Amino acid sequence: MKTMTCKQLGGACELSFRAATFEEMIASSKNHGMEMFQKGDKPHLEAMQAIKKLMDSPEAMERYFNEKRALFEQLPND
C-alpha cells in the first residue's frame, strides 16, 4: 500500500489516501473530490477548476496522469 495526499493528487487538502495501485488511488481521490464538490468546498472547487484547465486536450490529460503515476510509483510501500 502507498499513501498520497489530496494535494499530491491535485486537490486542496492534506487528507491521505492509501491504495495498492495507482488506479485505486485515483478512484479514492475522485470520490473525495466529488464529495467536496457537492459540499461546495471552495478550495476543492478551485483545485478542480485548475485541473480542468490543465486537461484541455487528451495529450495534456495523459501527461498529468503520467506525472501523478510516476509520483505514486516512487513512493515507498507502507
Side-chain angles (χ1 to χ4, degrees):
M1 299 288 273
K2 296 183 180 196
T3 302
M4 293 180 80
T5 65
C6 177
K7 278 188 179 177
Q8 287 175 305
L9 294 162
C13 70
E14 295 297 329
L15 181 69
S16 293
F17 306 104
R18 292 187 71 220
T21 68
F22 180 69
E23 290 72 21
E24 291 172 357
M25 187 68 70
I26 291 299
S28 294
S29 176
K30 284 182 181 179
N31 289 339
H32 169 68
M34 289 307 298
E35 181 181 315
M36 295 291 98
F37 177 78
Q38 290 172 346
K39 289 181 178 181
D41 183 83
K42 186 174 179 177
H44 283 83
L45 292 172
E46 290 170 352
M48 290 176 78
Q49 289 172 342
I51 290 171
K52 188 176 179 181
K53 284 181 185 178
L54 285 174
M55 296 187 186
D56 62 350
S57 70
E59 295 82 15
M61 185 180 295
E62 184 176 349
R63 277 192 310 272
Y64 179 83
F65 281 107
N66 285 340
E67 177 184 303
K68 299 305 177 186
R69 181 183 301 276
L71 177 60
F72 177 83
E73 295 299 331
Q74 292 174 3
L75 295 171
N77 287 320
D78 47 6

